[in-house]
Amino acid sequence: MSSTPPQQSPRLRAAVGALPGYLPGRPAPVGPGGASYKISSNENPYPPLPAVLEVVQRAAAELNRYPDMGSADLVAALAEHLDVPAARVVPGTGSVGVLGSVLQAVCEAGDEVVFAWRSFEAYPIVVGLSGATPVPVPLDAAGRHDLGAMADAITERTRLVLVCTPNNPTGPVVGAQELEAFLARVPRDVLVVVDEAYLEFVRDPTAADGLAAHRAHPNVMVLRTFSKAHGLAGLRVGYAVAHEPVAEALRRTAVPFGVSGIAQLAAVASLQQADALLERVDAIVDERERVAAELARQGWRIPRSEANFVYLPVGSSTPDLVAACAEAGLSVRGYGGDGVRATVGDAAADDVLLEVCGTFLRTWSPDRVG
């Protein structure tokens, strides 16, 4: 009697099994009275600007056509907007997609990538996929990059350093002077990526300017996105500004036709609506300040956020606060045993968040916050 041979699965890279999975923001639960707010993904609460929506609707009639692979109109618009040579601008499928191209262009197995932790969750994933070794460096007690420790972590195997400012999920920026002091310690053959996904929300006059650092240093590039302030998260379009040798390498490692035609047109239209966009961003910043001030009044000590979210460092009580928010109809982002991030901008959702936080703090020792 013949036996059925054992089933054999295709061989996969060992590195894939070891990767942490990226967890998207959870859908909003339904709370008392039908309240339901998703504030877990740092999405812009506003719908697309009318001029952008009009362009998108017209472009939908040409979905049967491939987009311009070089995103020429978007590159030209960004070059003019940023006052940089067009040869330095490389669009991609969100800043994460561009970052993936960076890793493909720069790193091989055994190379090291230094970044702060906790920071953007995609960092260890894209680093691991490239075969490189992640070198996470703990944030300081205020939730800020410890650039001195990051410089100390650089070795002869380091090929890339990631600097997220404002830092996601904690919110603080890297200062201009401290970034310059850090760059003075970084070898010239190590690429430094300044990730400015939340740049438009920054109001701190001492904050680093990634473009200024890029212009001053041939080993500095900038990552930005249209997902946050521009409110185009669903279209997946971001870009890099890099010196020509790096920019050319990014174009070679990018996914062909990665930026859809609709995304290109929407991004250009959004750049042309600077005043209307700034109005919305200012409103979100004002709401952030209101939420932060009320949390401080309640007794919370939280990192200074310059993004469109606040971070509550509740440590091992993170699951408890996530659950309390869910009971009130809020989905927030919990980070293991570190803390909770909540997007701001929707005043109704923020009021519920503040009510939950006030109640939570009354049953939780304030000296464990911050």
Side-chain angles (χ1 to χ4, degrees):
M1 182 175 180
S2 62
S3 60
T4 303
Q7 295 294 317
Q8 186 172 9
S9 298
R11 296 181 182 181
L12 302 177
R13 290 175 55 203
V16 174
L19 290 175
Y22 184 88
L23 299 176
R26 294 181 178 180
V30 177
S36 181
Y37 302 102
K38 182 187 176 189
I39 57 173
S40 56
S41 295
N42 292 344
E43 295 160 329
N44 193 313
Y46 295 101
L49 289 162
V52 175
L53 189 57
E54 182 180 342
V55 166
V56 168
Q57 290 171 334
R58 287 203 309 266
E62 299 184 3
L63 292 179
N64 57 312
R65 304 296 184 186
Y66 283 108
D68 170 16
M69 195 170 89
S71 304
D73 290 345
L74 177 55
V75 167
L78 283 167
E80 180 179 359
H81 178 70
L82 303 171
D83 191 23
V84 297
R88 297 187 184 184
V89 179
V90 185
T93 52
S95 57
V96 177
V98 181
L99 181 59
S101 295
V102 174
L103 269 296
Q104 292 296 318
V106 173
C107 293
E108 297 178 320
D111 292 339
E112 294 178 347
V113 179
V114 175
F115 53 87
W117 196 252
R118 182 173 289 271
S119 193
F120 184 32
E121 283 183 290
Y123 290 165
I125 298 173
V126 294
V127 172
L129 280 173
S130 74
T133 301
V135 181
V137 177
L139 298 169
D140 67 16
R144 305 181 71 254
H145 281 54
D146 186 341
L147 291 179
M150 290 177 66
D152 292 340
I154 295 174
T155 71
E156 68 278 356
R157 295 170 61 189
T158 305
R159 294 293 176 269
L160 184 66
V161 179
L162 306 176
V163 177
C164 185
T165 177
N167 185 54
N168 176 19
T170 57
V173 292
V174 169
Q177 292 185 354
E178 61 180 335
L179 180 61
E180 280 301 312
F182 171 72
L183 293 172
R185 295 185 58 189
V186 177
R188 298 300 90 182
D189 62 348
V190 173
L191 181 64
V192 178
V193 175
V194 181
D195 186 346
E196 296 184 317
Y198 299 90
L199 172 76
E200 292 87 351
F201 303 103
V202 175
R203 296 296 181 268
D204 183 346
T206 70
D209 178 343
L211 275 182
H214 160 78
R215 292 187 177 100
H217 301 275
N219 64 327
V220 173
M221 64 166 282
V222 175
L223 276 183
R224 292 183 181 174
T225 183
F226 284 87
S227 295
K228 306 305 180 184
H230 288 268
L232 301 181
L235 291 179
R236 310 308 303 128
V237 54
Y239 60 94
V241 179
H243 291 278
E244 281 81 350
V246 175
E248 178 57 27
L250 298 185
R251 283 188 280 270
R252 293 187 180 192
T253 55
V255 175
F257 304 106
V259 184
S260 73
I262 288 180
Q264 293 177 37
L265 290 168
V268 171
S270 192
L271 288 173
Q272 295 169 346
Q273 299 293 312
D275 291 343
L277 184 73
L278 182 60
E279 218 175 286
R280 292 181 167 190
V281 171
D282 281 344
I284 293 172
V285 170
D286 288 345
E287 182 66 5
R288 177 190 74 201
E289 296 304 299
R290 180 183 79 88
V291 171
E294 178 58 21
L295 288 171
R297 189 196 65 77
Q298 290 178 358
W300 289 89
R301 298 194 300 277
I302 64 173
R304 169 63 188 172
S305 177
E306 290 286 338
N308 68 334
F309 54 82
V310 292
Y311 183 74
L312 300 148
V314 291
S316 61
S317 294
T318 293
D320 299 328
L321 182 52
V322 171
C325 287
E327 289 179 8
L330 300 173
S331 69
V332 293
R333 179 65 72 92
Y335 291 89
D338 293 336
V340 171
R341 189 196 70 194
T343 310
V344 300
D346 182 328
D350 295 337
D351 286 343
V352 176
L353 175 69
L354 289 169
E355 183 177 350
V356 171
C357 287
T359 301
F360 188 84
L361 193 59
R362 286 194 291 272
T363 60
W364 196 69
S365 176
D367 60 11
R368 294 173 59 194
V369 184

